[in-house]
């Protein structure tokens, strides 16, 4: 089932991009090409117990997802960043499945948008 825009992307962000289709497509393409690597790096930092790297990566992905209007990913990243700051790797580990789910939803929306435009 295809994700509904309002469940994945911030509607105000999408409205702000009206008439900027080529720019939005470039943004989506960059996000899709860059962020899976960052997600792998987040998993690796967690596996290695590297709290500082985990915090840094979560912070970076939070910024990228906020820029893209992907609020649920941003919220997951904020929680992950806070868990790393609190030295709570168990909490961080528990957040990864939700982050991965929200990332998949964002990718699906973006791929669909690119296919349609």
């Amino acid at each position: 089932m295809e994700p509904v825009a309002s469940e994945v992307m911030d509607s105000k962000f999408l409205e702000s991009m009206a008439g900027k289709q080529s720019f939005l497509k470039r943004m989506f393409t960059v996000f899709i090409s860059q962020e899976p690597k960052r997600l792998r790096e987040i998993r690796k930092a967690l596996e290695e117990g590297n709290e500082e790297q985990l915090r840094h990566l979560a912070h970076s992905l939070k910024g990228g997802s906020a820029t893209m209007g992907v609020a649920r990913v941003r919220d997951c990243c904020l929680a992950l960043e806070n868990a790393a700051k609190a030295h709570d790797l168990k909490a961080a580990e528990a957040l990864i499945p939700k982050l991965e789910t929200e990332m998949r939803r964002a990718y699906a929306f973006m791929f669909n948008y690119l296919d349609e435009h």
Side-chain angles (χ1 to χ4, degrees), residues 28-44 57 61 73 99-100 103-104 106-107 110-111:
F28 283 175
T29 300
V30 169
F31 190 87
I32 289 166
S33 68
Q34 298 296 313
E35 299 311 332
K37 179 180 184 222
R38 193 176 336 245
L39 194 53
R40 287 190 302 274
E41 290 172 344
I42 285 172
R43 279 191 229 104
K44 184 176 183 224
L57 291 164
L61 181 54
V73 172
L99 174 59
E100 290 174 337
M103 289 292 285
R104 279 192 301 273
Y107 297 147
M110 291 174 190
F111 277 121

Side-chain angles (χ1 to χ4, degrees), residues 36-84:
K37 179 180 184 222
R38 193 176 336 245
L39 194 53
R40 287 190 302 274
E41 290 172 344
I42 285 172
R43 279 191 229 104
K44 184 176 183 224
L46 183 60
E47 288 167 10
E48 294 174 351
N50 188 336
E51 294 166 348
E52 183 55 31
Q53 181 71 359
L54 179 61
R55 186 204 60 74
H56 171 74
L57 291 164
H59 180 80
S60 296
L61 181 54
K62 178 183 74 176
S65 58
T67 299
M68 299 297 302
V70 192
R72 289 181 180 185
V73 172
R74 180 202 62 221
D75 293 347
C76 288
C77 290
L78 176 60
L80 187 57
E81 182 181 7
N82 288 336

Side-chain angles (χ1 to χ4, degrees), residues 12-31:
K12 286 183 175 68
F13 171 76
L14 290 174
E15 288 169 17
S16 76
M17 290 287 119
K20 301 174 186 171
Q21 201 172 66
S22 64
F23 179 67
L24 185 59
K25 287 169 69 173
R26 282 195 307 273
M27 287 178 67
F28 283 175
T29 300
V30 169
F31 190 87

